[in-house]
Amino acid sequence: MSWVTGKVWELVEGGEEADLLVLVEEQIEPRYAELHADVTLGLMRLEGRRYLTTQTWPDRRTWEEAITGERYERWFARYRPVLALWDASVTFVFEWAGEEIR
């Protein structure tokens, strides 16, 4: 069963969806491909200026292994500048995680 994590974000005042899409396509997706070949990222526009981001992993164990250990720490250190760009574009609202059962 797939393991899916999700976060809801809101565009900052003056932020543009087009800029968010470029950031995801050019910076975030390539970095996550380095983290694990089987993770799939999703981006959904919600009502207003809110967006849902998802990560779909083959299973919870794969996710846990990918986000722990020295390899992850090295990856995250390289990812921090991209995360800073993301954080300048959106404000965190809430998050969830769960196992896809169907």
Side-chain angles (χ1 to χ4, degrees):
M1 300 291 171
S2 297
W3 182 252
V4 182
T5 66
K7 294 183 180 181
V8 175
W9 306 87
E10 188 164 336
L11 267 176
V12 297
E13 189 173 326
E16 296 292 332
E17 181 177 292
D19 296 333
L20 195 63
L21 289 170
V22 168
L23 180 59
V24 169
E25 292 171 0
E26 294 182 2
Q27 299 290 329
I28 296 173
E29 286 179 332
R31 297 313 187 286
Y32 270 83
E34 294 172 4
L35 180 60
H36 198 281
D38 294 330
V39 64
T40 303
L41 302 182
L43 179 64
M44 178 185 293
R45 180 187 314 113
L46 304 176
E47 292 185 10
R49 295 176 55 80
R50 289 190 173 184
Y51 293 82
L52 170 66
T53 59
T54 58
Q55 297 176 17
T56 303
W57 296 83
D59 51 57
R60 186 174 182 157
R61 181 178 178 196
T62 301
W63 171 73
E64 288 174 343
E65 289 173 355
I67 65 162
T68 57
E70 286 183 39
R71 183 178 176 276
Y72 175 75
E73 293 301 323
R74 287 190 306 272
W75 175 87
F76 193 76
R78 291 188 315 271
Y79 184 65
R80 282 186 199 278
V82 176
L83 188 57
L85 294 172
W86 178 260
D87 287 343
S89 302
V90 292
T91 302
F92 175 75
V93 178
F94 69 91
E95 69 183 307
W96 54 268
E99 188 173 47
E100 199 172 58
I101 59 173
R102 183 169 179 231

